[in-house]
Amino acid sequence: MQRTKIKEILQNDKCDYQVNVKGWVRSFRNNQFIALNDGSCIGNLQIVIGLDADEQLIKGINNGASISVDGMVIASQGKGQKVEIKADSVTILGECDPEKFPLQLKNRPSLEYLREIAHLRFRTNTFGAVFRVRHTLAYAIHKFFNDRGFVYLHTPIVTASDAEGAGEMFKVSTLPFDNPPRNEDGTINFKEDFFGRATNLTVSGQLEAELGAMAFSEVYTFGPTFRAENSNTARHLAEFWMIEPEVAFNDIYDNMDLAEDLLKFVISYALEHNREDLDFLATRLADEEKQKPMNERSELGLIEKLEFVLNNKFERITYTEAIDILIDSPAYKKKKFQYDVKWGIDMQSEHERYLVEKHFKKPVIVTGYPKEIKAFYMRQNDDGKTVAAMDILAPGIGEIVGGSQREERLDKLTQRMEEMHIPTEEMYWYLDTRRFGGVPHAGFGLGFERMVLFVTGMTNIRDVIPFPRTPKNAEF
Ligand code: 4AD
Ligand code: MG
């Protein structure tokens, strides 16, 4: 008999039909009631087995074991579910030793512990919900762009350029570490390397996306990016996924509108299609909040927070206004900030979170950052000091989006690249877009895991990517 998904059985109230279900045992009570989960939804299906069941079989039905069940869907006698399955036959597909199964050994395992057994954590309610929501968000992002006629461009993972000019790259090489070929001056001879030059893992697909935008008008990338920055925080990964739309003829204001529309669409899509998972995560978060002192608890629950974001326009301010607000703040006056505030600083997470969580209490788009703290490709404003950059700051997260209008004027771009020691000759292909029919254009990068954090209410970025890569950690 063909397998029916548990989600399908739980979703309709139909009874009295024969099915086959397969999944993993979540619990087994009174040698009679199995809670079965197959990952299709958060809910478990109750399987009732006969009291005359084989003793050997009963011994095999342990938490974590996988089973196949044939039986009849009937109206449930018990509380908590509308339907259940009266089993005709149960087969053990894969045994699971309860003495050794890590999820069985700990009662309510902590998120930290589950990170150590990330190969098994999908089988918990929390991670099941998180990764179903992650899937939905990815799908919604593609849907959003597809519905608007964007072309999905696959930009390279291995590249010779440093798109952000920050030098935080992982090298890609097949040269022997212990004895690489050398030039006469002692430097490594990358001409002998696999690609005939020094290469690295990409930090961003933006530069190549810009090339695409100069032909398709609107493109986006959605792929893995890599940063060798040694930031061991709850917001940083060494390998993360980024969505980068790039749109010809857009200015910084169009760019802000596009980013706000994208975030809102994706949130509403998840609320509509993953409600059960989000309700579960909301309860989880509310329980976690109860552990905190009163004054540190968030005012809104997860669902209310998401609905609030949907129903309110993002605040839009300039960097200069942001700095003024911070300097005027009680937090600054009472010396509550660890890092100093003055015009020109790269705002720290504490500053960003003050703006969104304490001052505006909603997402904030900050524009017009000092050119010194931003990348070479951002369009220079007429004041000579700032660039047409935009960061979106989200409650509980800080920076979730970073983007800008691009410098389309060849002379200004070349000058800025030279000032910042970006090799203009090597990057002739990037500059060519400004030589051959260049147009004003703009784009941004949305950090996918930060988006998943925001929507799921999880607090550590390691808990929203299946197998996190962070400093000193590449397990699994
Ligand atoms: O602000 P960033 O560095 O911007 C860029 O890479 C541009 N090329 C984007 C563009 O204009 N096309 O990164 C964009 C976003 C950040 O706002 C943040 O959400 C996320 O990527 N991000 C990270 N997420 C997880 N771990 C890290 N180490 C991250 N670094 C950036
Ligand atoms: Mg940024």
Side-chain angles (χ1 to χ4, degrees):
M1 201 179 195
Q2 245 216 323
R3 174 171 84 96
T4 304
K5 289 199 176 203
I6 290 176
K7 180 178 183 176
E8 205 179 301
I9 296 170
L10 293 179
Q11 254 175 3
N12 62 43
D13 302 337
K14 246 180 26 181
C15 286
D16 303 322
Y17 60 105
Q18 203 70 26
V19 289
N20 168 264
V21 290
K22 296 187 171 80
W24 293 267
V25 175
R26 282 290 175 86
S27 71
F28 187 35
R29 279 189 297 124
N30 303 347
N31 283 352
Q32 214 195 346
F33 303 103
I34 304 171
L36 193 69
N37 191 284
D38 68 358
S40 59
C41 62
I42 197 155
N44 299 326
L45 179 63
Q46 173 151 292
I47 314 281
V48 187
I49 59 172
L51 290 169
D52 54 350
D54 178 66
E55 206 174 302
Q56 203 51 34
L57 174 72
I58 300 269
K59 270 200 191 140
I61 304 178
N62 295 308
N63 282 7
S66 47
I67 61 173
S68 173
V69 180
D70 288 309
M72 180 76 98
V73 180
I74 57 169
S76 178
Q77 318 291 308
K79 272 197 286 184
Q81 66 270 326
K82 284 191 199 145
V83 296
E84 61 190 24
I85 293 198
K86 189 172 171 297
D88 298 327
S89 82
V90 176
T91 318
I92 309 266
L93 299 175
E95 291 175 357
C96 183
D97 183 347
E99 309 278 302
K100 293 193 178 132
F101 187 44
L103 286 176
Q104 166 79 14
L105 296 177
K106 288 228 170 165
N107 202 3
R108 285 201 136 244
S110 68
L111 295 176
E112 288 77 13
Y113 173 69
L114 290 170
R115 235 171 267 150
E116 289 169 21
I117 52 162
H119 56 306
L120 297 169
R121 65 178 176 171
F122 299 124
R123 289 210 226 157
T124 62
N125 281 336
T126 298
F127 287 95
V130 165
F131 290 111
R132 272 187 302 271
V133 172
R134 182 179 164 113
H135 160 80
T136 300
L137 294 174
Y139 180 76
I141 284 163
H142 285 301
K143 178 167 168 51
F144 174 86
F145 288 119
N146 183 64
D147 289 354
R148 289 174 175 228
F150 281 62
V151 170
Y152 177 25
L153 200 68
H154 295 96
T155 50
I157 309 259
V158 175
T159 167
S161 57
D162 178 3
E164 292 301 298
E168 293 166 332
M169 296 167 306
F170 291 100
K171 294 190 173 67
V172 174
S173 173
T174 53
L175 292 179
F177 285 149
D178 45 359
N179 187 23
R182 300 206 180 260
N183 298 310
E184 273 173 16
D185 62 0
T187 56
I188 293 175
N189 181 3
F190 284 105
K191 289 210 179 74
E192 289 195 25
D193 204 348
F194 189 90
F195 296 106
R197 62 194 301 173
T199 49
N200 42 267
L201 294 177
T202 190
V203 296
S204 155
Q206 178 197 323
L207 302 189
E208 290 88 353
E210 284 188 55
L211 314 182
M214 292 301 118
F216 298 106
S217 300
E218 37 251 323
V219 299
Y220 72 105
T221 73
F222 187 168
T225 46
F226 306 86
R227 297 201 182 173
E229 54 184 331
N230 205 351
S231 308
N232 228 329
T233 78
R235 307 272 174 273
H236 288 90
L237 290 164
E239 174 180 294
F240 64 99
W241 289 66
M242 190 164 27
I243 298 98
E244 296 183 275
E246 195 64 39
V247 184
F249 320 114
N250 264 10
D251 64 16
I252 187 76
Y253 301 101
D254 304 320
N255 208 30
M256 289 190 255
D257 292 342
L258 181 67
E260 185 167 342
D261 287 352
L262 171 66
L263 295 186
K264 287 181 171 171
F265 174 80
V266 165
I267 292 170
S268 71
Y269 195 88
L271 277 171
E272 196 179 322
H273 294 87
N274 268 110
R275 192 51 191 248
E276 248 189 1
D277 287 321
L278 289 174
D279 282 338
F280 174 84
L281 291 167
T283 310
R284 192 204 71 82
L285 185 63
D287 286 346
E288 200 178 87
E289 289 281 306
K290 279 187 208 139
Q291 316 290 321
K292 292 187 188 166
M294 276 300 223
N295 61 342
E296 283 175 29
R297 293 185 197 171
S298 57
E299 290 163 31
L300 300 178
L302 180 63
I303 306 291
E304 294 79 52
K305 177 190 82 174
L306 296 175
E307 279 168 353
F308 180 83
V309 168
L310 284 184
N311 297 328
N312 286 281
K313 220 174 147 33
F314 294 3
E315 195 69 38
R316 298 182 181 195
I317 59 167
T318 64
Y319 169 88
T320 304
E321 286 163 346
I323 294 294
D324 288 345
I325 291 169
L326 290 172
I327 289 177
D328 257 351
S329 69
Y332 180 78
K333 288 177 181 150
K334 289 186 202 147
K335 299 201 177 1
K336 288 261 173 72
F337 291 132
Q338 195 187 336
Y339 295 89
D340 195 21
V341 182
K342 59 172 190 273
W343 201 95
I345 60 156
D346 200 358
M347 278 189 272
Q348 297 292 322
S349 167
E350 57 175 352
H351 305 137
E352 297 178 336
R353 294 183 65 168
Y354 177 85
L355 290 172
V356 283
E357 285 158 32
K358 296 273 181 324
H359 191 85
F360 289 110
K361 297 184 194 274
K362 59 169 148 161
V364 179
I365 312 184
V366 184
T367 52
Y369 282 81
K371 66 177 181 195
E372 279 74 23
I373 57 170
K374 290 290 183 188
F376 66 91
Y377 50 70
M378 297 193 178
R379 194 175 197 278
Q380 295 165 53
N381 289 329
D382 293 340
D383 61 12
K385 291 197 304 193
T386 61
V387 286
M390 59 165 229
D391 277 6
I392 301 188
L393 314 178
I397 308 287
E399 180 189 338
I400 190 166
V401 165
S404 76
Q405 187 172 334
R406 315 309 186 188
E407 184 56 83
E408 82 283 12
R409 297 161 297 187
L410 182 63
D411 52 337
K412 298 226 177 219
L413 179 59
T414 321
Q415 190 196 342
R416 190 72 191 131
M417 286 171 80
E418 276 161 7
E419 280 167 14
M420 296 176 80
H421 309 291
I422 312 276
T424 49
E425 252 163 59
E426 243 172 66
M427 289 183 56
Y428 72 91
W429 49 270
Y430 183 67
L431 293 168
D432 268 359
T433 52
R434 277 64 174 171
R435 293 188 183 109
F436 308 130
V439 297
H441 61 289
F444 60 84
L446 166 64
F448 186 52
E449 284 74 22
R450 294 198 186 169
M451 181 80 210
V452 183
L453 272 181
F454 185 72
V455 175
T456 58
M458 300 297 282
T459 44
N460 192 312
I461 201 160
R462 293 165 178 81
D463 295 333
V464 298
I465 187 163
F467 303 105
R469 299 303 180 235
T470 50
K472 302 278 180 287
N473 170 42
E475 189 69 29
F476 312 110

